[in-house]
Amino acid sequence: PEGEDDSGKKTPDQLMNQAAKYITEHLHSDIGIEEVANKIGISGSYFCLLFKNRFAMTFVEYVTLQRIEAAKFMLTNSDKSITMIGSGVGYQERRYFTKVFQKQTGMSPKEYRDRCRTEVQ
């Protein structure tokens, strides 16, 4: 296509867009830095550098944030159990999911759901 570099080299922005898309599509699975770096064709250390520059947080912080955002959406918009929502965003254990969720939002998934539901009504 027009405007693409023949050598196939992508800009850091393009690489990080690819990474973000891949993360979003794989939130439910146990994804790691090496996996994403391999997927977009760069080394793990270079990936970490680009990632931190682009998102101003570490890979783990970003993945956690995306998972919690997805969980918030599901808690508000679905009747799935908290256990199902947790595993749907990559936390196989409900207790751990609740702990991470609480740390990120200051409330448990149940409290969050109850609060959002009362606001909606």
Side-chain angles (χ1 to χ4, degrees), residues 25-85:
E25 289 167 358
H26 294 83
L27 280 179
H28 60 282
S29 62
D30 193 13
I31 41 180
I33 289 166
E34 289 303 323
E35 180 188 334
V36 183
N38 285 340
K39 191 72 193 162
I40 61 175
I42 59 177
S43 74
S45 51
Y46 185 51
F47 175 79
C48 288
L49 181 76
L50 288 184
F51 199 91
K52 189 103 171 143
N53 287 345
R54 169 71 183 272
F55 297 104
M57 61 180 85
T58 66
F59 175 77
V60 172
E61 288 167 338
Y62 179 85
V63 171
T64 302
L65 186 71
Q66 296 306 310
R67 284 178 165 162
I68 297 307
E69 288 306 311
K72 283 178 174 175
F73 181 82
M74 286 192 268
L75 285 165
T76 309
N77 298 295
S78 84
D79 288 319
K80 287 183 178 168
S81 72
I82 288 165
T83 306
M84 274 181 73
I85 289 172

Side-chain angles (χ1 to χ4, degrees), residues 99-121:
K99 189 176 144 187
V100 174
F101 191 92
Q102 198 145 16
K103 192 176 167 205
Q104 291 283 321
T105 63
M107 58 186 105
S108 74
K110 185 179 178 337
E111 289 168 333
Y112 183 85
R113 173 175 263 171
D114 294 344
R115 180 172 297 184
C116 288
R117 297 244 159 126
T118 50
E119 284 172 12
V120 171
Q121 288 161 3

